[in-house]
Amino acid sequence: MLDFYYSNRLTSKLSSGLSSVYNAILSLKSQINLFGYSHNEAKTIIETIMKDYPDLYYFNFNLVQYQPSPQGTVIRLTYYDYDLDLFEREVNEITLEIDKRLNNQSTDYDIIKIIYDVIVERVSYDYDAFNRFGEVDQNSHDQLSEYFNNYGHCFNMYGVIVLKRAVCMGMSHAIKYFMNRYRIECAFLECEHFVEGSADTYPHAINVIEYDNQCYYLDASKGKFDNMDMLRYDFFMVNQERVNNYYQINENFECNDDSIEYFEKEKLTFKNVYDLRKYLDGFSYKSTKGLILFKYKGKVKKDYLEKVIEENIGRRCGSMYGIDGFVVIDNYGYCKISKR
């Protein structure tokens, strides 16, 4: 089961320790002495709690301190000064919005997509927090404390739910929280993201979703083009092949299926340029609300697909419509049209 994927892999000893630490966090204790546990075991417990329990968003898992004791390891715990009542009110509002988009015929796939849409629509990626983290001396407790006091919300659900700003980790926690709330099996997954044009990587977080006995990757941090205010789905419920050039993933979730890929389900996949041109030229503003997206199955250059978009969407627009923007990524095209 994905919901407690990491907890279920612990030994009985570590599971017992996790229960003790979990209850200490619920009670807002400032420290707990884990008798008979090493530093590495205590660290494994904290990392497991961070991954499996997004509801403990007020716990500052970034600044946990471990101190050896004659009996084991003392874990010092700190908490964010969050408005918990405000958080609960915002969660209820989001839940109401999700429920409003559901109906009696909604499938688990529909639930997954609605949760994804609602969360992605709500939050903006905090590039300032991401960039400033690279300036922090990872060996300086003072610098880390200052950073997480200012930007810690970006790494948990509070940033998504209340402040509407987060980085990949916060978004992945929020996705897991709401998926679990609606009984969709979901795991938080830490991985490495390749730097474009380089073999270098940086830490990243995504989700693994179980649907119809298959596992799929989902990256909410790649869910929106902020400059066009447009959702994207080329990293929504995708398989291993789709993410190979982007992430280095050490866990094996066997995400091999592509039968529910969004563009296939919505019949937005085109195998030749003629059909793509026909689709772009004949779009309906009423049915698409000015948001045009597609996947082209074939080996063509990015600038060629951009030219096809400009020539065909532009011709259809005329004086009544205008192109707000478009982008092509890995043969996935996104266009936004508005009425003048």
Side-chain angles (χ1 to χ4, degrees), residues 164-230:
K164 303 179 183 179
R165 302 191 312 276
V167 294
C168 57
M169 182 172 283
M171 295 182 194
S172 296
H173 282 309
I175 289 290
K176 175 173 171 55
Y177 176 81
F178 281 99
M179 292 294 176
N180 292 167
R181 193 179 180 102
Y182 284 83
R183 300 180 181 178
I184 301 295
E185 291 283 334
C186 177
F188 171 95
L189 174 62
E190 287 185 314
C191 59
E192 291 289 318
H193 197 302
F194 292 114
V195 177
E196 187 175 357
S198 169
D200 295 335
T201 63
Y202 58 85
H204 191 55
I206 60 176
N207 293 101
V208 182
I209 310 287
E210 183 178 321
Y211 170 74
D212 197 21
N213 297 317
Q214 297 283 344
C215 288
Y216 304 88
Y217 295 118
L218 182 153
D219 187 349
S221 71
K222 295 185 187 296
K224 181 167 62 177
F225 298 108
D226 287 319
N227 60 326
M228 292 195 297
D229 190 26
M230 185 176 181

Side-chain angles (χ1 to χ4, degrees), residues 220-277:
S221 71
K222 295 185 187 296
K224 181 167 62 177
F225 298 108
D226 287 319
N227 60 326
M228 292 195 297
D229 190 26
M230 185 176 181
L231 300 189
R232 55 185 285 198
Y233 297 97
D234 49 304
F235 284 92
F236 170 75
M237 300 293 281
V238 297
N239 63 7
Q240 184 68 48
E241 182 180 5
R242 172 62 185 139
V243 304
N244 278 338
N245 293 329
Y246 287 86
Y247 315 131
Q248 179 179 307
I249 299 173
N250 294 324
E251 300 283 346
N252 182 16
F253 289 97
E254 297 185 357
C255 299
N256 302 316
D257 181 66
D258 65 353
S259 64
I260 63 164
E261 203 243 12
Y262 176 80
F263 295 85
E264 295 285 351
K265 285 179 68 68
E266 297 296 322
K267 295 181 172 47
L268 297 172
T269 300
F270 301 93
K271 298 180 180 179
N272 60 72
V273 175
Y274 173 80
D275 288 337
L276 175 59
R277 289 182 184 274

